[in-house]
Amino acid sequence: MAAMAKTKTAVVVGATNGIGKAISCRLANDGFKIIAVGRDKDGNRGPEVIDFLSKCSKNHDVRHEFRACDAFELKQVKECAEGIASDYGGNNNSEGKDGIDALVMTQGMATVQSFTPTVEGNDEKLTLHFWSRAAFATCLLPVLRDNVNDDKLAASSARMPGGPVVMSVLSGGVHSPYTKYGSDPELRKHYSIKNAADFAGFYTDLFFDKLAQMPSNKGINFIHAAPGFVASNWGTEMPSFLRGPIRLMQKMAGKSPEKCANLMVQPILQCSHGELALKRPNDVEEGLFIMNEDGTSGKFSKGHSVEAMSSVWGTTKDVLSKAGICLEG
């Protein structure tokens, strides 16, 4: 008698609000166990999140989890991600742990503030949009690798035959290049709203494309997606005179978080059911997938080069190392 396939597991960062919450619900509805990661200032958010996910699930035997993490602080990210890795790693050995099949990162903020340092000295917005995403991926990749399909992993092959997925929902295909990655690698001298947006998107492309091309990550699908204009709580941190117009535009032109989530999760569902339909930029056989807001394949911004990739990799390695997170290579 064939062994019963284990439940698919997805880690969703930013799962307590907006797009992340909707993606968590959509994946739970498709049978995934969700490890929801988010801030919990009062220390009592867990039961509320788990109850919400339980209502999203068709299979009420699945036990979802909530993990508190303030992604403004990379040391907290490291502690949270390593805790998940410890609890879920070891899928290919005798421990019999569940493994992780997908990592989705949606954490972010919309502000007009200038460079605002975290307790570790990094900018708040850049930490949420890029540094923390690089940190989560780095810490959880060893567990995702355990679920890459090969002849020795029949259980995970039945679960994600298309391979595990790492997805950053931010600005795939819609940002401009950040050209000062060499002279101002952490955006401390030329900070602006536009530069911060381009920095995060450009660094995401370069860093995750580098990860996708590493031989040790073969079989893992790395995706940078653009959600488009969504009627969520985006812009909460904006000044009051801007929040009103934003909410009006969202109401008139924004798609619902649920509609956005249905588009964003398609690559994950495709991998869980067989194959990934997205095409990589320039139809290359390896590297990062870019996904437009309508679910179609996108392209890298200008300036996406080996030299830029190497520079951003070195900068990211330096920033993460200060929090005790070590990049390979």
Side-chain angles (χ1 to χ4, degrees):
M1 185 175 183
M4 184 177 294
K6 294 180 180 178
T7 301
K8 301 180 291 286
T9 300
V11 176
V12 182
V13 186
T16 56
N17 287 297
I19 297 171
K21 184 176 182 179
I23 287 176
S24 295
C25 185
R26 180 65 180 81
L27 289 175
N29 183 261
D30 201 70
F32 279 79
K33 173 177 179 174
I34 305 299
I35 304 173
V37 178
R39 280 184 282 180
D40 188 12
K41 293 181 179 180
D42 300 324
N44 56 9
R45 205 169 198 175
E48 174 188 341
V49 173
I50 293 172
D51 180 63
F52 168 76
L53 291 172
S54 297
K55 292 177 180 177
C56 294
S57 301
K58 293 179 179 178
N59 183 358
H60 296 292
D61 292 329
V62 175
R63 295 291 179 261
H64 304 289
E65 291 186 23
F66 173 74
R67 305 257 177 154
C69 178
D70 186 345
F72 281 120
E73 187 174 345
L74 295 181
K75 288 184 179 179
Q76 278 201 40
V77 171
K78 177 179 183 290
E79 181 180 353
C80 177
E82 289 184 347
I84 295 171
S86 176
D87 292 341
Y88 285 83
N91 189 62
N92 62 344
N93 59 36
S94 60
E95 295 180 40
K97 297 182 181 179
D98 290 338
I100 295 172
D101 303 285
L103 167 63
V104 183
M105 297 167 286
T106 69
Q107 67 270 33
M109 65 190 300
T111 69
V112 294
Q113 66 193 34
S114 58
F115 190 104
T116 305
T118 65
V119 294
E120 295 163 324
N122 305 306
D123 177 64
E124 288 185 348
K125 188 182 294 185
L126 301 184
T127 297
L128 286 188
H129 291 175
F130 177 67
W131 305 125
S132 67
R133 296 174 188 232
F136 269 112
T138 299
C139 294
L140 290 176
L141 271 172
V143 186
L144 286 154
R145 290 180 191 131
D146 285 342
N147 278 356
V148 172
N149 296 317
D150 60 32
D151 293 338
K152 299 177 183 178
L153 293 175
S156 74
S157 178
R159 200 166 60 201
M160 294 287 283
V165 175
V166 175
M167 174 181 285
S168 177
V169 180
L170 184 63
S171 61
V174 298
H175 60 81
S176 299
Y178 171 67
T179 59
K180 299 184 184 298
Y181 58 83
S183 60
D184 189 13
E186 296 180 36
L187 196 54
R188 294 178 181 272
K189 301 174 184 177
H190 302 88
Y191 198 97
S192 68
I193 295 174
K194 184 181 187 311
N195 281 346
D198 291 340
F199 176 106
F202 192 57
Y203 274 42
T204 295
D205 282 355
L206 293 164
F207 179 80
F208 285 96
D209 193 27
K210 171 74 171 180
L211 285 180
Q213 294 183 40
M214 293 174 65
S216 59
N217 294 325
K218 185 177 181 179
I220 299 176
N221 303 287
F222 292 86
I223 301 169
H224 183 195
F229 195 49
V230 182
S232 66
N233 61 349
W234 182 89
T236 301
E237 304 90 350
M238 289 284 191
S240 58
F241 70 90
L242 291 176
R243 287 200 299 270
I246 288 172
R247 293 291 175 264
L248 179 61
M249 288 188 294
Q250 287 175 322
K251 184 176 181 180
M252 294 177 62
K255 56 178 171 281
S256 70
E258 291 73 25
K259 183 176 181 180
C260 176
N262 284 337
L263 291 167
M264 296 294 101
V265 302
Q266 288 310 307
I268 301 173
L269 300 185
Q270 288 165 6
C271 286
S272 71
H273 298 151
E275 63 180 78
L276 185 59
L278 281 175
K279 294 182 180 180
R280 295 177 176 88
N282 302 320
D283 291 328
V284 297
E285 295 184 359
E286 62 179 12
L288 178 70
F289 292 89
I290 300 295
M291 188 168 79
N292 298 324
E293 63 177 275
D294 61 357
T296 59
S297 300
K299 296 181 179 180
F300 291 132
S301 64
K302 293 180 180 179
H304 191 100
S305 66
V306 173
E307 186 273 331
M309 190 183 302
S310 177
S311 179
V312 167
W313 183 266
T315 299
T316 307
K317 186 174 184 178
D318 290 343
V319 170
L320 296 191
S321 68
K322 296 174 185 176
I325 302 169
C326 297
L327 284 183
E328 301 174 4

